[in-house]
Amino acid sequence: VGATIDVGHQANYAELAAKVKPEERGTPAGIRAYNDTTIAIIEQLGAKVFHLHVHDIEPATWKEHKPFGSGFVDYPRLIAALRNSGYAGCLVMEIGALPDEMERHLRDGKRRLEAALA
């Protein structure tokens, strides 16, 4: 049994909602709390993480599935946490975009993700 980490679902966690009011989401403290929550989940699950959804999150609204590199997910820290846990699973781009923009966003996201993993 394992777990999929989706970087966009932490906004629904009661623990995070209790720490960050909706009007504080786009603040440095709100963004830090969101990223801290993601890292804590990875650290707690450790070797049980087998799949990761890669996308970004709009700072002010915490809307997910934004193009990689356009939001606030702390990917250097996230990748370090995954490496520390021995993660060897998939990284799957999960981006919502108009059909005529999708190829560009995926190509750019792939380039950015490869750079972050280097």
Side-chain angles (χ1 to χ4, degrees):
V1 174
T4 296
I5 301 295
D6 188 312
V7 300
H9 291 189
Q10 286 64 278
N12 300 319
Y13 283 31
E15 298 89 343
L16 183 56
K19 291 180 193 174
V20 182
K21 296 177 181 133
E23 64 272 14
E24 297 171 338
R25 288 182 170 189
T27 67
I31 290 168
R32 184 173 44 256
Y34 193 105
N35 281 300
D36 288 350
T37 300
T38 304
I39 299 304
I41 293 166
I42 291 168
E43 290 173 346
Q44 290 170 16
L45 289 170
K48 291 182 181 178
V49 176
F50 69 91
H51 191 84
L52 180 77
H53 290 184
V54 176
H55 54 91
D56 229 319
I57 303 164
E58 189 174 280
T61 63
W62 286 5
K63 287 185 180 176
E64 60 188 331
H65 303 142
K66 301 302 176 187
F68 186 89
S70 68
F72 68 76
V73 175
D74 187 348
Y75 276 101
R77 189 172 163 212
L78 186 144
I79 290 166
L82 289 170
R83 286 183 172 147
N84 287 340
S85 72
Y87 183 73
C90 295
L91 302 173
V92 177
M93 289 278 182
E94 187 179 33
I95 298 172
L98 296 173
D100 60 333
E101 297 175 335
M102 184 61 76
E103 184 178 339
R104 177 177 54 87
H105 286 307
L106 290 173
R107 189 174 37 253
D108 184 58
K110 179 180 183 282
R111 181 184 54 78
R112 289 173 183 259
L113 181 57
E114 287 173 339
L117 292 168

